[in-house]
Amino acid sequence: MAEVRNSKKACTVNALKMSQPIGGALAFMGLNGAMPLLHGSQGCTSFGLVLFVRHFREAIPMQTTAMSEVATVLGGLENVEQAIVNIAKRAKPEVIGICSTGVTETKGDDVDGYIKLIRDKHPELDDIAIVYVSTPDFKDAFQDGWARTVTRIVDELVETAAPEAPRTQKRINVLPGCHLTPGDLYEIRDIVESFGLEPVFLPDLSGSVDGRIPDEFTPTTLGGISVKEVATLGTSAWTIAVGEQMRAAAEALEKKAGVPFTLYDRLTGLAPNDDLIALLARLSGRPVPEKWRRQRSQLVDAMLDGHFFFGNKRIAIGASPDLLWSVSSFLTEMGCNIEAAVTTTHGPLLGQIETDEVLIGDLEDLEERAEGCDLLITHSHGRQAAERLGIPFFRMGLPMFDRLGAAHQTTVGYRGTRDLVFEIGNIFIANAHEPDTETWRQTAEVSDDTGSAFAAH
Amino acid sequence: MSSLANKVQDVFNEPGCAKNQGKSDKERKKGCTKQLQPGGAAGGCAFDGAKIALQPITDVAHLVHGPIACEGNSWDNRGAKSSGSRLYRTSFTTDINETDVVFGGEKHLFKSIKEILDKYDPPAVFVYQTCVPAMIGDDIGAVCKAATEKFGKPVVPVISPGFVGPKNLGNKLAGEALLDHVIGTGEPEYTTPYDINIIGEYNLAGELWQVKPLLDELGIRILSCISGDAKYHEVASSHRAKAAMMVCSKAMINIARKMEERYDIPFFEGSFYGIGDMSDSLREIARLLIEKGADPELMDRTEAVIEREEARAWERIAPYKERLTGKKVLLITGGVKSWSVVAALQEAGMELVGTSVKKSTKEDKDKIKELMGQDAHMIEDMTPREMFKMLSDAQADIMLSGGRSQFIALKAKMPWLDINQERHHAFAGYEGMVDLVREIDKALSNPIWDQVRKPAPWDDGQESWEARALAEAEAEAAAIAADPVLAEEMRRSTQICNCKTVDTGTIEDAIKADHLTTVKEVTAATNAGGGCTGCHERIAGILSALAATKAEAREADHG
Ligand code: SF4
């Protein structure tokens, strides 16, 4: 059990957090034919764009209402209108997803009101879905922006279904949190499909920014869930939400269309995946495919082989709440001690993390607390801290701009968890302190002597 | 008018800025308030520009006063290198919250400054203003003044909130902050007749270090680089330099010009990119220093170094000639570096295709720069499919451009090299051009291209997405050609001035309505041509085309 505290500092040093609107924009990128639009000054969009381009190594669609100093004072109706009209003309999107920013929230622009006026004036926009989310920069963080946007998409785009309306028994909605990568979504898709079920993801980044050669060039997203599919989510048999952040969206979907849901606070680790497989077996009425029995046993074996190296390791983690929960819970289950946990925003599970304190703070806080740890886990911005501390560094989360394959890092499912055991375990092995005549008395750790590991089997 | 508005006005009136020479009074005043096109704009804000310009000062704490968006989404994302302090890569922001927005963030800012001084003890703190605190009226100038008095350390306000304009305005506002608060506040330990400033060089990827050894060899001291690999004290005492080089981008012209005015430091505009330009720059530095009293033998030594280095560079480029001769390069870049690069590529036997630049005779130099600047703008404005079409039409072997088009090129399986800001390779000086040629060779000769271009054995080549994309682009073009109304609409909506987002239609209407006859008048009336001035040629084209049709019409009337 941890005490959740806010950092008392006035100055944020080496931010861990990113802003809400770009979390929202990323959620919109999981829709097909989408153009995310930040309602604010051009710089906000430019920074977000660069961040995603560096992370995904893809061209990223994102636009701005380009509010000038004068426009921020007068209000942004004209800018929102021009932006929508221009985007409609140039990019021909299926959906425009608008997120507000600090600039426009300070003035208090009534964007929902603007959209009504714009719709009345421009019937040519009737075929384009427009969803607006309020995401002020000076409140909350990236994960909140993502979660709020998905909830809004459900509210705005899912069609209400009568409770007794027929359900597509085979179709399962999946609402992934922002901490899941496109690779994670592929893994979940595989798992769900293996039971003869049809998963639909909202948002679906695995369709849009999954690092592949596209079939076509478009200025909007290509791939992801279509607006039409979103409309029918209410007729699915079940919803699986991944990450506590998705609770609101799952509840909204249940309320609107009566789709029951199961929320997994994480899908990294043995037990949560057992639960998922059991649920899918129940929903599909099919036996658990051989593939998962085998992979489960591989994970169990990996945990056995790995536990020598994980036991009592001191870990420092900086991540948004759901990723922090997922990684720290799993590492605790592997025998690690979470020495430092820093996060970006509030979350209901933070108090349950097995560590003394969870701090809502920055990477300076994490660096202070990570001294003497065996491993630092955070996004790429932790690289300077890891270097100064001289401890191994494992990158998780967004942004990951100094490594290849950020979109494919997979840590869910039996297989994803198994690979995570290998990746982190190998870091421990590579950094094990070889005892020498000076230190052997203090070194009681298992080194990379796999002979003894096998012997213990 | 607020003091910021005055500053912006002042910067726009910059007489040393060639961009402003073509502007009328009215247009200059408009400069700062001109709207970007919502839904069609790209590029960073003034704050971004200010940070780019100043962050390379390595021992300063750079504190961003604003919500998390401005700093949290963007920090540690540039490649300016340091030979000393790493403090510039530590990110500081007030990360203001709702309470600050309601009650003001000045106290929060003041406390942040104190924390930084206590913990990191930098020689100075730079405080960057952003949009939200500017809107709620936080007076960061006053806070910085109070902090300077209280803590006895310089705390410098950099007033360039994003919404006042684009990146290049931010560069200049950053320059103003240095002029107002930093330059001239320190003294160098000693001076020599060989002290220079280099202005507008950020030491990206360590480019300054490709040049510095040659200056060292000549006994020329960089008193201060503004701002690459600089220390606060160096910038503060830079007013004692004998001469300055302004690195070819108008970004910090105001510093160069005002330092000339205030401290009698003559400057020239030069570039380190390209063998010829590098030599010219060395000569200019020597010339200015001699003018200011250095021993004239400096020129002889400079010429000797130039001769040696040029010969060495050409010699090292020569071995690549065999493999690179006849290779076609699609070069798309902003005006400043292009000319210099062109010469080196041609020396290595390569051919330029697809851009407005065909051959490079020295007389055309300025024109080429202008044209290439326009191309670079154009590509930013293109949709991905148009860009792909251009790539395949050009039939180039490799594309050199800025980061924006990287993924289009790569997805089209086209070798690509970054010659823009965020690149990881340093291409400055004689060394840099050799590196550039080597990098091109490396990209071109990589064995992946043949492999990745081969379709999967089960795929019908005709049905490839590339073929489809091209077919669609052609179908679109045909549809436009078949529909005169649509074609006219498309023609009128073609952007002419990319800086100020003005299209053909707007310009034509203005010319017709107000009977305009000169580019100047068009700029005054529509703002087109009020940015980088690269489109003046095109505006002139529209003027003469309209004049011709008018003349024809008149003749028809008379006839
Ligand atoms: S436009 Fe304003 S709010 Fe946006 S990043 Fe730039 S300074 Fe910050």
Side-chain angles (χ1 to χ4, degrees):
Chain A
M1 293 299 267
E3 186 193 338
V4 182
R5 293 200 305 112
N6 281 301
S7 182
K8 285 275 171 305
K9 297 186 302 195
C11 183
T12 294
V13 183
N14 296 335
L16 173 67
K17 181 167 76 168
M18 293 175 305
S19 73
Q20 264 208 103
I22 65 169
L26 185 63
F28 281 124
M29 279 175 226
L31 302 179
N32 188 29
M35 179 60 83
L37 170 66
L38 298 194
H39 180 33
S41 298
Q42 62 164 341
C44 313
T45 292
S46 162
F47 284 147
L49 194 77
V50 171
L51 185 99
F52 290 134
V53 166
R54 297 207 318 155
H55 177 83
F56 290 109
R57 295 177 195 262
E58 299 272 346
I60 296 288
M62 209 164 158
Q63 262 303 338
T64 172
T65 56
M67 296 288 284
S68 66
E69 189 174 9
V70 179
T72 55
V73 178
L74 300 178
L77 171 58
E78 210 181 297
N79 286 59
V80 174
E81 175 181 350
Q82 281 180 33
I84 293 177
V85 169
N86 275 329
I87 292 170
K89 207 161 70 187
R90 291 165 53 110
K92 305 185 180 63
E94 272 186 51
V95 51
I96 299 174
I98 309 175
C99 296
S100 65
T101 62
V103 178
T104 50
E105 290 283 350
T106 302
K107 162 72 173 39
D109 275 3
D110 170 22
V111 179
D112 277 322
Y114 295 170
I115 293 174
K116 275 201 198 82
L117 294 173
I118 294 166
R119 284 243 186 252
D120 287 346
K121 193 166 151 197
H122 295 278
E124 80 270 18
L125 301 172
D126 283 355
D127 296 337
I128 300 174
I130 301 174
V131 180
Y132 165 69
V133 203
S134 161
T135 48
D137 291 305
F138 44 74
K139 257 173 81 177
D140 304 330
F142 190 87
Q143 180 183 296
D144 306 292
W146 169 283
R148 237 162 242 157
T149 300
V150 180
T151 309
R152 277 295 279 188
I153 294 172
V154 169
D155 287 342
E156 297 272 307
L157 300 183
V158 175
E159 276 165 15
T160 338
E164 67 284 355
R167 300 206 168 274
T168 316
Q169 282 311 325
K170 282 168 100 181
R171 208 165 60 156
I172 307 289
N173 303 328
V174 182
L175 306 177
C178 64
H179 57 309
L180 298 194
T181 65
D184 288 330
L185 302 198
Y186 272 114
E187 192 66 24
I188 296 171
R189 179 185 300 278
D190 252 10
I191 296 171
V192 176
E193 281 177 353
S194 71
F195 286 89
L197 300 168
E198 290 159 13
V200 262
F201 293 79
L202 175 69
D204 187 3
L205 291 180
S206 74
S208 51
V209 284
D210 63 331
R212 80 200 138 108
I213 303 292
D215 303 330
E216 205 185 327
F217 283 122
T218 62
T220 61
T221 54
L222 180 70
I225 183 169
S226 70
V227 172
K228 268 203 201 97
E229 284 173 294
V230 175
T232 66
L233 288 185
T235 65
S236 294
W238 206 268
T239 297
I240 292 172
V242 188
E244 190 56 44
Q245 61 184 290
M246 300 316 285
R247 188 173 294 278
E251 283 173 353
L253 195 52
E254 183 175 50
K255 195 164 146 230
K256 190 161 190 183
V259 189
F261 72 91
T262 308
L263 185 137
Y264 293 94
D265 52 41
R266 62 181 161 120
L267 282 179
T268 303
L270 184 60
N273 281 296
D274 284 349
D275 291 348
L276 173 67
I277 297 286
L279 173 79
L280 293 172
R282 183 162 66 78
L283 291 177
S284 67
R286 290 198 188 181
V288 175
E290 177 53 29
K291 185 169 159 186
W292 308 124
R293 296 171 196 265
R294 187 157 276 265
Q295 280 192 14
R296 181 181 195 281
S297 132
Q298 288 171 356
L299 171 57
V300 169
D301 193 52
M303 290 168 74
L304 287 169
D305 290 346
H307 85 278
F308 297 104
F309 308 102
F310 283 76
N312 288 349
K313 283 290 191 302
R314 298 153 53 88
I315 314 286
I317 309 178
S320 58
D322 281 346
L323 183 60
L324 175 66
W325 169 254
S326 175
V327 181
S328 64
S329 302
F330 174 64
L331 289 175
T332 303
E333 287 168 354
M334 286 297 293
C336 297
N337 298 328
I338 308 300
E339 291 296 322
V342 176
T343 191
T344 55
T345 180
H346 283 278
L349 296 174
L350 297 176
Q352 293 173 42
I353 293 177
E354 284 199 43
T355 183
D356 297 336
E357 170 206 69
V358 173
L359 192 71
I360 298 178
D362 57 35
L363 289 173
E364 185 193 51
D365 298 317
L366 184 65
E367 188 173 342
E368 270 168 22
R369 289 161 175 75
E371 196 126 7
C373 280
D374 297 295
L375 184 65
L376 178 73
I377 300 177
T378 186
H379 54 52
S380 281
H381 281 307
R383 60 184 177 172
Q384 292 184 55
E387 204 179 294
R388 279 189 292 263
L389 290 162
I391 63 177
F393 177 33
F394 184 62
R395 290 164 178 79
M396 283 191 96
L398 194 154
M400 203 185 298
F401 48 74
D402 55 351
R403 283 295 178 272
L404 294 172
H408 295 290
Q409 189 183 53
T410 305
T411 57
V412 302
Y414 294 129
R415 179 164 47 182
T417 311
R418 180 198 70 192
D419 290 350
L420 186 63
V421 172
F422 295 156
E423 277 216 58
I424 294 183
N426 285 336
I427 294 177
F428 291 144
I429 291 173
N431 291 280
H433 305 292
E434 285 287 340
D436 57 30
T437 48
E438 294 299 311
T439 59
W440 71 271
R441 280 171 207 278
Q442 291 101 45
T443 312
E445 284 181 352
V446 180
S447 72
D448 61 337
D449 179 2
T450 38
S452 70
F454 284 125
H457 243 93
Chain B
M1 218 189 232
S2 74
S3 70
L4 173 59
N6 282 326
K7 253 305 168 227
V8 171
Q9 205 59 70
D10 180 38
V11 165
F12 270 101
N13 282 329
E14 174 60 55
C17 179
K19 288 180 196 175
N20 275 333
Q21 286 165 5
K23 294 184 189 173
S24 66
D25 272 4
K26 189 172 142 212
E27 148 70 4
R28 267 184 230 169
K29 289 218 177 67
K30 260 201 268 179
C32 54
T33 49
K34 167 67 190 150
Q35 262 281 11
L36 290 151
Q37 192 186 19
C45 59
F47 153 68
D48 193 6
K51 189 91 182 300
I52 290 173
L54 299 183
Q55 198 186 12
I57 304 176
T58 58
D59 55 356
V60 163
H62 300 272
L63 169 61
V64 177
H65 183 42
I68 196 67
C70 312
E71 177 70 357
N73 297 350
S74 73
W75 68 284
D76 201 17
N77 70 352
R78 299 200 180 83
K81 295 283 179 247
S82 166
S83 59
S85 175
R86 310 250 153 216
L87 189 61
Y88 75 119
R89 284 186 62 200
T90 298
S91 148
F92 300 99
T93 176
T94 50
D95 181 11
I96 58 168
N97 56 29
E98 238 179 338
T99 327
D100 295 321
V101 173
V102 178
F103 297 105
E106 293 179 1
K107 277 210 188 94
H108 188 154
L109 173 61
F110 189 80
K111 268 199 224 152
S112 299
I113 295 168
K114 180 172 189 315
E115 281 179 14
I116 292 172
L117 290 170
D118 287 349
K119 271 191 279 194
Y120 293 87
D121 192 32
V125 180
F126 285 9
V127 177
Y128 298 79
Q129 177 72 306
T130 64
C131 301
V132 173
M135 286 176 79
I136 60 175
D138 279 3
D139 183 350
I140 73 160
V143 175
C144 289
K145 194 154 170 249
T148 305
E149 277 160 20
K150 178 101 192 257
F151 308 121
K153 276 263 174 84
V155 180
V156 177
V158 183
I159 304 184
S160 61
F163 58 24
V164 298
K167 258 203 280 212
N168 56 16
L169 174 61
N171 295 153
K172 294 199 173 59
L173 291 171
E176 292 296 313
L178 292 184
L179 286 163
D180 289 351
H181 301 281
V182 184
I183 294 169
T185 61
E187 287 301 331
E189 255 172 65
Y190 62 93
T191 58
T192 77
Y194 301 98
D195 290 351
I196 59 161
N197 292 330
I198 296 180
I199 298 168
E201 163 64 45
Y202 305 142
N203 197 28
L204 295 169
E207 287 188 333
L208 184 59
W209 302 332
Q210 289 179 311
V211 173
K212 193 165 172 290
L214 295 180
L215 297 175
D216 290 345
E217 181 185 343
L218 291 169
I220 296 167
R221 176 169 77 149
I222 302 174
L223 185 65
S224 176
C225 181
I226 300 174
S227 56
D229 195 21
K231 297 186 185 67
Y232 180 76
H233 182 72
E234 292 169 0
V235 180
S237 36
S238 60
H239 61 298
R240 297 298 182 205
K242 298 294 183 295
M245 165 170 170
M246 187 188 75
V247 172
C248 238
S249 70
K250 301 273 186 285
M252 287 199 159
I253 176 91
N254 50 341
I255 295 195
R257 201 190 51 76
K258 286 189 181 159
M259 284 183 82
E260 178 171 48
E261 195 177 283
R262 287 184 198 170
Y263 309 111
D264 190 27
I265 304 174
F267 74 94
F268 73 98
E269 211 183 308
S271 161
F272 292 137
Y273 293 110
I275 289 165
D277 282 40
M278 178 67 198
S279 300
D280 289 348
S281 294
L282 288 177
R283 274 188 202 107
E284 275 300 288
I285 291 173
R287 190 181 64 78
L288 285 183
L289 285 174
I290 293 166
E291 229 168 61
K292 295 286 286 187
D295 193 329
E297 60 77 45
L298 175 62
M299 194 52 97
D300 303 333
R301 287 191 291 123
T302 305
E303 288 298 347
V305 165
I306 288 172
E307 203 186 312
R308 185 194 72 206
E309 290 295 322
E310 284 198 353
R312 218 177 128 240
W314 293 131
E315 196 180 296
R316 292 170 67 203
I317 287 175
Y320 295 103
K321 245 186 165 156
E322 197 184 318
R323 277 214 295 266
L324 295 181
T325 296
K327 292 283 190 229
K328 293 184 186 143
V329 181
L330 181 57
L331 175 65
I332 298 188
T333 177
V336 280
K337 298 158 210 162
S338 22
W339 158 259
S340 351
V341 173
V342 169
L345 298 183
Q346 291 185 332
E347 188 60 29
M350 284 173 277
E351 221 179 280
L352 288 172
V353 292
T355 73
S356 358
V357 184
K358 293 282 181 272
K359 58 178 193 330
S360 58
T361 55
K362 196 120 188 163
E363 299 71 54
D364 285 342
K365 191 165 163 175
D366 285 326
K367 196 154 180 198
I368 287 172
K369 280 186 185 174
E370 204 171 87
L371 289 172
M372 297 195 79
Q374 198 64 36
D375 283 347
H377 273 312
M378 243 158 57
I379 201 163
E380 286 187 5
D381 208 47
M382 276 182 176
T383 66
R385 187 188 296 156
E386 287 166 351
M387 214 187 280
F388 174 66
K389 174 106 170 54
M390 186 195 66
L391 283 178
S392 51
D393 285 354
Q395 299 195 324
D397 296 297
I398 185 167
M399 174 170 175
L400 272 59
S401 68
R404 202 168 263 279
S405 33
Q406 170 177 3
F407 298 104
I408 305 301
L410 291 182
K411 303 260 161 182
K413 294 156 189 167
M414 157 87 81
W416 178 86
L417 192 65
D418 193 352
I419 47 169
N420 225 22
Q421 285 243 352
E422 293 86 18
R423 69 190 175 280
H424 299 288
H425 292 284
F427 294 139
Y430 302 108
E431 201 55 42
M433 274 306 115
V434 179
D435 285 349
L436 176 69
V437 173
R438 186 187 306 130
E439 284 299 319
I440 291 176
D441 180 58
K442 190 173 94 187
L444 273 172
S445 59
N446 194 298
I448 68 157
W449 300 114
D450 286 343
Q451 303 168 57
V452 298
R453 282 174 184 150
K454 222 181 263 164
W458 54 86
D459 263 355
D460 182 355
Q462 291 311 103
E463 273 303 290
S464 78
W465 62 269
E466 286 99 332
R468 260 196 337 247
L470 289 179
E472 272 171 49
E474 259 153 41
E476 243 166 58
I480 290 166
D483 180 349
V485 180
L486 185 64
E488 174 65 4
E489 195 184 299
M490 295 290 289
R491 191 190 66 81
R492 282 179 54 90
S493 67
T494 324
Q495 203 150 299
I496 295 296
C497 172
N498 294 292
C499 301
K500 305 283 174 186
T501 48
V502 188
D503 60 22
T504 311
T506 312
I507 295 173
E508 286 181 351
D509 293 347
I511 293 173
K512 282 186 203 148
D514 302 343
H515 307 289
L516 309 177
T517 52
T518 65
V519 175
K520 241 186 200 168
E521 287 170 356
V522 173
T523 305
T526 64
N527 241 339
C532 73
T533 69
C535 59
H536 282 190
E537 195 110 326
R538 293 210 243 171
I539 297 174
I542 297 177
L543 278 165
S544 56
L546 282 185
T549 37
K550 211 167 153 192
E552 263 170 39
R554 240 198 326 266
E555 252 165 47
D557 276 357
H558 286 242

